[in-house]
Amino acid sequence: MVTFFASITLLLLGFFVYGKVVERIIGVDDQRQTPAYTQQDGLDYMPMSWWKGSLIQLLNIAGLGPIFGALMGALYGPIAFIWIVVGTIFGGAVHDYFAGMMSLRHNGEQYPSLVGKYLGKSAQAIINIVSIVLMILVAAAFTAGPAQLMSEVTPLGFTTSIVIVFAYLAIAAVLPINKIIGKIYPVFGAILIFMAVSIGVGMFFFGNPIPNLTISNLHPDSMPVWPLMMVTISCGAISGFHCTQSPILARTLKKESEGRKVFYGAMVAEGVIALIWAAAGMTFYGSTGGIQEAIAAGGPAAVVNEISITTLGSFGGVLAILGVIILPITTGDTALRSSRMMLADLVRQVTKKDLQGKGALLGLMAVVAVPAFLLTQMDYSFLWRYVGWTNQVVATVMLWTGAMYLVKQRKFHWICSVPALFMTGATSVYIFYAPEGLDMAYSTSMKLGAVIWTIVALRFFWMLYGHKVRALFRKPQANV
């Protein structure tokens, strides 16, 4: 219980203290007009209140990530609390804040365009493809998941459910942001918070105590914490998907000082939600073995349903079903929306022309929607496995982009470069080790990951200090 309360306190302090530090380093100027006014187009660019933007951002970045991911992360025991707290404060919230603020400073540009400006055109070309693929995978996974549950709790078949869900995703992704997203999604964001708070209170009435982190439960089984936990708990700590969503809200902020509330604040809120669900899983089932058996028997959705019904009765069951259906849908449509925006930016860069009009909008939408729909026919768990490491590659590149932005601005870059170095190591080892990666032995994966990390670190430090090293070996010029 002490570990849980300490973790909640640290997350809140992270927003009020470290969030202020990050804001001061990047510098905000409320006299500078935001893209919501300078680029206002009645579709994506339009002013919106910060509180509404915060709830929409939370819903966009969350989906079922801080619930399902946290429950899977609970398999590692209370050490998951450490990653959620540290990852959120120093990684995820910084990542989301820079993705949003850099977009704000560059007329609402999408993540791949920001990468191109600060990491070069080659990196942009690669990340354009990776990001759009990630968005299509997320949209497909967040169609198949809720459609499967809909087919189980309603008379609708699976195929019919997929068509209904995907049709909504496609329509919401092309409507002006204030039509559906701006009006309904703040309500859904509030439901997500209500669910978490209710479960958080209900935990104290479970038969088992909330576990504390001790030496004996630091590592409960044979699963390697590094780097698996850093990918399993992504949306509750750091997730590359978020940097594709922050530019959506960057196009709606009225002033720069709202960025900390919308971007940094939403990520801290997601960290709190993930912390609650991870603690609830450990507490409800009493052990990592108990929650592992429950997930193996019915999947994370069944676990959410059981905990919700036990805590809140039939009302909790309704909330659980709504959550498992609505939350991924509201993330899936913004995934399609951001992929449509990325594709528009890519076409603009290649052709030097802006695509305008309803025909161009629908054409862009079709390019990303068709493959997403086709992928919905695949197994949900298979799709989600590949979302995991792709997601963290995107997060790592965004942190490096933020680091280079600060380097060029001659500001304190370590707030981005240290988590970037950390995620470079975690992601490299994971790709070598994971079954959906190269499926190598753990020791081999660690060694190869260390090689990749060393190359990236040396390149970064050479860029920073190479001129000083060269100066030491430069021959002094003779006096004439």
Side-chain angles (χ1 to χ4, degrees):
M1 185 181 296
V2 173
T3 305
F4 175 74
F5 278 119
S7 299
I8 292 287
T9 302
L10 288 172
L11 283 171
L12 295 177
L13 286 174
F15 172 73
F16 289 108
V17 179
Y18 195 68
K20 277 283 189 181
V21 171
V22 173
E23 182 183 59
R24 190 172 292 115
I25 289 172
I26 198 173
V28 295
D29 181 6
D30 283 344
Q31 301 305 312
R32 184 185 294 141
Q33 272 199 315
T34 63
Y37 296 105
T38 60
Q39 308 287 325
Q40 193 165 356
D41 64 357
L43 178 64
D44 299 314
Y45 293 88
M46 56 182 65
M48 188 182 296
S49 62
W50 71 264
W51 66 265
K52 187 179 289 188
S54 295
L55 288 171
I56 293 171
Q57 174 75 355
L58 174 61
L59 197 67
N60 286 0
I61 65 176
L64 288 172
I67 301 177
F68 282 13
L71 288 171
M72 297 294 292
L75 296 173
Y76 296 92
I79 196 174
F81 295 159
I82 295 179
W83 171 236
I84 291 171
V85 172
V86 175
T88 294
I89 295 172
F90 300 104
V94 172
H95 167 280
D96 294 9
Y97 182 72
F98 271 84
M101 292 301 291
M102 289 175 65
S103 176
L104 190 77
R105 298 273 174 87
H106 293 84
N107 295 318
E109 287 189 1
Q110 290 293 302
Y111 160 67
S113 298
L114 300 176
V115 171
K117 281 182 168 59
Y118 294 98
L119 297 184
K121 296 300 180 184
S122 297
Q124 180 181 4
I126 296 170
I127 214 66
N128 251 318
I129 297 171
V130 173
S131 299
I132 293 175
V133 168
L134 174 61
M135 293 303 95
I136 291 172
L137 283 172
V138 168
F142 281 1
T143 298
Q148 184 174 358
L149 184 60
M150 281 178 62
S151 66
E152 293 173 0
V153 300
T154 69
L156 300 172
F158 180 62
T159 303
T160 304
S161 298
I162 278 184
V163 171
I164 292 172
V165 172
F166 197 82
Y168 168 79
L169 262 60
I171 292 170
V174 297
L175 286 175
I177 194 168
N178 65 339
K179 294 298 183 183
I180 295 179
I181 294 175
K183 291 180 179 178
I184 302 175
Y185 285 20
V187 177
F188 293 153
I191 290 174
L192 177 64
I193 295 172
F194 175 78
M195 282 179 65
V197 171
S198 300
I199 297 299
V201 173
M203 278 193 301
F204 296 96
F205 300 95
F206 292 167
N208 304 305
I210 302 173
N212 287 315
L213 180 64
T214 64
I215 297 297
S216 62
N217 65 17
L218 189 63
H219 192 12
D221 54 36
S222 60
M223 290 191 303
V225 171
W226 172 273
L228 298 186
M229 189 172 68
M230 288 72 196
V231 177
T232 302
I233 307 177
S234 56
C235 287
I238 178 170
S239 167
F241 176 71
H242 297 187
C243 71
T244 67
Q245 302 303 292
S246 291
I248 295 177
L249 274 300
R251 299 180 178 194
T252 69
L253 294 192
K254 295 180 179 179
K255 52 185 180 180
E256 289 193 354
S257 60
E258 295 175 346
R260 184 172 67 92
K261 301 171 188 174
V262 173
F263 304 123
Y264 200 101
M267 183 60 229
V268 169
E270 186 179 35
V272 171
I273 292 169
L275 194 72
I276 289 171
W277 278 100
M282 297 178 210
T283 307
F284 188 83
Y285 293 100
S287 67
T288 55
I291 189 172
Q292 187 172 24
E293 290 176 6
I295 291 175
V303 171
V304 171
N305 192 48
E306 186 176 7
I307 293 175
S308 299
I309 291 176
T310 303
T311 307
L312 301 172
S314 57
F315 177 65
V318 173
L319 275 182
I321 291 174
L322 284 175
V324 174
I325 293 176
I326 292 175
L327 294 179
I329 289 175
T330 55
T331 301
D333 71 347
T334 53
L336 280 182
R337 191 180 194 92
S338 58
S339 64
R340 183 255 298 167
M341 291 176 178
M342 289 178 192
L343 188 60
D345 281 354
L346 180 61
V347 171
R348 188 182 306 116
Q349 291 158 10
V350 173
T351 66
K352 308 301 181 184
K353 295 180 180 179
D354 285 332
L355 295 179
Q356 298 178 345
K358 291 184 178 180
L361 179 65
L362 294 176
L364 291 169
M365 193 66 231
V367 172
V368 294
V370 170
F373 181 77
L374 294 175
L375 284 172
T376 61
Q377 310 304 307
M378 299 178 67
D379 179 60
Y380 170 82
S381 59
F382 177 82
L383 288 173
W384 197 244
R385 284 171 59 186
Y386 287 90
V387 168
W389 69 263
T390 308
N391 187 43
Q392 298 307 65
V393 167
V394 170
T396 304
V397 174
M398 180 62 234
L399 285 169
W400 281 120
T401 304
M404 289 308 303
Y405 172 79
L406 291 174
V407 167
K408 292 188 177 183
Q409 295 288 321
R410 299 183 181 276
K411 294 181 178 179
F412 189 74
H413 65 81
W414 297 109
I415 59 172
C416 284
S417 53
V418 169
L421 285 165
F422 180 89
M423 290 304 298
T424 297
T427 306
S428 299
V429 175
Y430 187 88
I431 290 173
F432 288 117
Y433 178 65
E436 62 271 23
L438 299 177
D439 200 17
M440 294 183 174
Y442 185 67
S443 59
T444 304
S445 302
M446 287 289 287
K447 292 172 184 175
L448 292 174
V451 171
I452 299 296
W453 185 90
T454 302
I455 292 171
V456 172
L458 287 176
R459 180 176 176 82
F460 178 66
F461 287 118
W462 181 258
M463 182 209 65
L464 290 179
Y465 307 115
H467 63 286
K468 294 183 179 181
V469 176
R470 288 191 294 268
L472 292 175
F473 295 96
R474 191 178 299 129
K475 293 182 179 179
Q477 294 182 350
N479 292 327
V480 179

